[in-house]
Amino acid sequence: MRAAVLHETGQDKLEVLDDVEAVGFGPGKVRIRVRATGLCHSDLSAMSGVLPQPAPFVPGHEGAGEIVEVGDGVAHLKAGDRVVVCWLPACGACPACRRGQTELCLAGFMNAGTPNFRRPGGDVFGFAGTGTFAEEVVVDAGCAVPVPDDVPFDIAALIGCGVTTGLGAALNTADVTPGSSVAVIGCGGVGISAIQGARLKGAAEIVAVDPVAGRREAALRFGATRAVPPGELPGAKQEVTGGEGFDYVFEVVGKSATARTAYENTRRGGTLVVVGAGAMDDFLQLNMFELFFDEKRILPSMYGGGDVVRSYERTVALWRAGRVDLEGLITHRVPLAGINEALDQMRSGTALRTCVEI
Ligand SMILES: [Zn+2]
Ligand SMILES: [Zn+2]
């Protein structure tokens, strides 16, 4: 079958090959025919080495498709079921799962050293244990979350990562208060989803901050009340908050420099929500006086910071009711053969989400 493979960490292009096989099928596993997959910024971060990931590997972790085959012991799925590929499955039994914080379950990482694919030349890993830039994946049954048949594959794919992450940051982690002031730094697909979440929660002002003009225009369509390039954030802070700072600032870039900017633009007693996935050697500096004296709350948000399956169901309900726009997030579509073009669109910031149709 066909899959897009990164041969070595640090390369910026994938090779679409037709000699790849999805491996590991057996008890407790499912085989999924991938139909659509979104390109998420974390795929680029894994390719460049910012996020740890053994190579060679098939990127892609935001996918949807249909079940082809289920292994022994899998009772809740059958061939033909439409599923979201969840890269962070919940085991249901660990302390984090029992507390309802399934986003902190580590079960999905236990297979990190196990290859998901094979080629004549050797083993190939799947990013985050999935690898959805492929026609088929074999994953733990917990990584296949059923969605109703009226949810198109491209929409279901987005729910698998970016939308869940951004919406959840606003709805679960920040739990934005109605009437509050919000700034969102970084307005790709995840940042736009955080904007939609803040709008749903009734934020009065939502300031979108992004260097790319097209993203600022998109942010206004999705509910931002104003949109500025980074250099104009101080002016917006002055106009919207009288200089005090925002009640909530979402950092959706994953860099210490933007996290520091976000911290400084959060009001005393306000909330900085860290959504971006950054590098292990990139350190955020805070001094002990400001940390104590300004009483700003720093809330990291992993995969939307809440029960993952519940978050999926909530997103489907909001989408069906027309209260979140997911179609509008898909700005580009390519076949698997066009994957490198899609990577370039992502790097240049012209795409909110590119849907790869497989
Ligand atoms: Zn668990
Ligand atoms: Zn992602």
Side-chain angles (χ1 to χ4, degrees):
M1 62 135 187
R2 290 186 315 141
V5 176
L6 185 83
H7 295 290
E8 283 176 40
T9 303
Q11 292 176 332
D12 62 358
K13 291 226 177 324
L14 302 176
E15 188 178 2
V16 179
L17 299 161
D18 60 8
D19 59 1
V20 185
E21 183 192 351
V23 297
F25 184 74
K29 303 279 186 174
V30 296
R31 184 187 304 278
I32 300 171
R33 172 66 174 90
V34 179
R35 293 293 179 192
T37 180
L39 177 53
C40 177
H41 206 272
S42 300
D43 295 310
L44 294 178
S45 298
M47 289 173 63
S48 67
V50 166
L51 294 179
Q53 169 64 42
F57 73 96
V58 175
H61 60 287
E62 186 182 89
E66 56 206 345
I67 299 283
V68 177
E69 164 174 45
V70 303
D72 288 344
V74 179
H76 71 291
L77 293 165
K78 60 181 189 310
D81 283 354
R82 183 171 296 226
V83 293
V84 172
V85 178
C86 173
W87 56 269
L88 194 60
C91 75
C94 73
C97 284
R98 291 204 306 271
R99 282 194 297 265
Q101 292 179 299
T102 68
E103 83 281 15
L104 299 180
C105 181
L106 291 172
F109 296 98
M110 297 306 166
N111 297 330
T114 309
N116 301 68
F117 303 96
R118 191 186 304 129
R119 293 188 57 219
D123 290 335
V124 178
F125 297 91
F127 178 39
T130 56
T132 56
F133 294 172
E135 289 175 326
E136 275 188 9
V137 289
V138 170
V139 291
D140 283 335
C143 296
V145 180
V147 286
D149 285 343
D150 69 333
V151 183
F153 289 117
D154 53 359
I155 298 298
L158 297 183
I159 294 173
C161 188
V163 167
T164 294
T165 299
L167 272 183
L171 303 182
N172 300 330
T173 307
D175 194 12
V176 170
T177 302
S180 55
S181 60
V182 170
V184 177
I185 300 179
C187 298
V190 178
I192 295 281
S193 298
I195 288 170
Q196 295 206 77
R199 190 202 64 213
L200 280 169
K201 295 289 286 185
E205 291 271 9
I206 305 171
V207 178
V209 185
D210 198 287
V212 180
R215 288 183 169 193
R216 294 197 298 274
E217 286 158 22
L220 293 170
R221 289 200 301 277
F222 284 90
T225 54
R226 58 179 86 192
V228 297
E232 292 176 22
L233 177 56
K237 173 185 169 187
Q238 186 63 39
E239 284 173 29
V240 172
T241 73
E244 186 191 13
F246 295 89
D247 296 318
Y248 302 89
V249 182
F250 292 79
E251 198 278 346
V252 200
V253 180
K255 293 211 161 78
S256 59
T258 37
R260 181 70 212 182
T261 299
Y263 184 82
E264 287 167 5
N265 283 279
T266 303
R267 71 163 166 82
R268 295 185 68 215
T271 302
L272 162 59
V273 184
V274 181
V275 187
M280 286 189 190
D281 60 356
D282 184 14
F283 292 88
L284 170 64
Q285 279 209 328
L286 301 167
N287 71 59
M288 289 306 290
F289 179 78
E290 64 187 354
L291 187 59
F292 158 77
F293 186 72
D294 289 334
E295 213 182 78
K296 298 180 186 181
R297 295 181 300 159
I298 301 174
L299 300 183
S301 184
M302 168 84 169
Y303 204 17
D307 181 285
V308 173
V309 172
R310 173 71 198 110
S311 291
Y312 288 1
E313 290 168 353
R314 180 177 60 193
T315 302
V316 169
L318 289 166
W319 166 78
R320 205 180 265 139
R323 293 173 62 77
V324 292
D325 176 4
L326 304 187
E327 283 84 353
L329 284 171
I330 302 171
T331 52
H332 298 71
R333 289 177 190 275
V334 295
L336 188 60
I339 188 75
N340 286 307
E341 183 190 323
L343 293 172
D344 288 340
Q345 288 159 359
M346 189 83 184
R347 289 190 187 99
S348 66
T350 53
L352 294 179
R353 266 297 184 269
T354 299
C355 177
V356 184
E357 292 168 325
I358 297 178

